[in-house]
Amino acid sequence: MVSGKPTAKRRRNRTIELGIPSDLGWERAAMDVAASVARCMGFPADRIEDIKTAVAEATLNAIEHGNSLDASQRVLIVLVPEGEKLEINVRDRSSTPFPPAEAVGAPSLEDKLTGLSNTRGWGTFLIRSLVDEVEFTSTSEGNLVRMVIHLEP
Amino acid sequence: MANEARATLRETPLLTVIDLRGEVTTFADDAINSAYRQVSERGAKNILLNFSGVDHLNSAGIAIIIGVLTETRKADQCLLITGLTPHYRKVFHIMGLARYVPIFDSEDAARQSIDSR
């Protein structure tokens, strides 16, 4: 029987952490690290591309919206390879919580093409489309996006 | 740090091609919109965006492309796309963009579609 404590320790030992400044462009670093970890875990090339885009979009949101492009505030990316799945957490220091899930629908391209809404606002939609599990959590310390991608779909 | 976006123009039979290179992110706004304005001023009707030299594309970059698509629809121009990797082609499908702008495997295939109209 495996107790909770050693499991937590093993999980910590396998964790990869990256802290980046909230400057546009640094999301590439998060993307590259996630791709390297996914490659080591044996993810196929097409899933690695999905992971890269999802991590880049989550990190971009954290930089732009979460930390309001304040380079002194860091975005923390934590990757946890666990057997047949990769968990990726992206955390910012935002004091503004995520909008409730029911308030965030799929963006309407037609609205964007006709000028009824801003052409941006695709990040969350792409993340939801490209990973197997995603959770958006707001706490007093900031916002967290937790993504899980399975080796076998 | 970023591999700056560049957009260069090329006149070919039936198509005006905008060759994109580097990273298509929020920083690509000036390069892409400036290229689009130039081809519009020349009276281009069929504009092909060639992504084959692009090594990174994100949602902010795709938003710029949506802006260009909006303008081409207003100006009665035809926007076409080629050079997307299979992943970005999938992303364009997920976003629904493929319903509004035809995506081709090659520049020749895009030209043939214009020629066969």
Side-chain angles (χ1 to χ4, degrees), chain B residues 8-21:
Chain B
T8 52
L9 310 182
R10 192 157 46 87
E11 291 294 344
T12 75
L14 301 176
L15 286 171
T16 302
V17 182
I18 301 177
D19 290 307
L20 301 173
R21 293 193 175 280

Side-chain angles (χ1 to χ4, degrees), chain B residues 7 13 16 22 26 29 31 39 47 49 55 58 66 75 87 91 93 96 114:
Chain B
T16 302
T26 192
D29 197 5
V39 300
I47 302 165
L49 283 180
D55 49 42
N58 70 10
I66 293 171
H87 173 69
V91 167
H93 276 275
I114 298 293

Side-chain angles (χ1 to χ4, degrees), chain A residues 43-65:
Chain A
F43 277 94
D46 61 330
R47 287 303 274 159
I48 293 173
E49 291 301 313
D50 292 346
I51 291 167
K52 285 166 67 178
T53 293
V55 170
E57 294 298 332
T59 309
L60 188 62
N61 278 347
I63 290 171
E64 273 191 302
H65 307 299

Side-chain angles (χ1 to χ4, degrees), chain B residues 17-39:
Chain B
V17 182
I18 301 177
D19 290 307
L20 301 173
R21 293 193 175 280
E23 298 182 1
V24 176
T25 65
T26 192
F27 298 115
D29 197 5
D30 283 348
I32 293 174
N33 279 308
S34 163
Y36 171 65
R37 277 194 300 275
Q38 283 184 57
V39 300

Side-chain angles (χ1 to χ4, degrees), chain B residues 84-94 98 103-106:
Chain B
L84 288 174
T85 64
H87 173 69
Y88 289 125
R89 203 165 174 148
K90 178 171 90 172
V91 167
F92 274 50
H93 276 275
I94 289 171
I103 300 171
F104 295 94
D105 289 338
S106 67

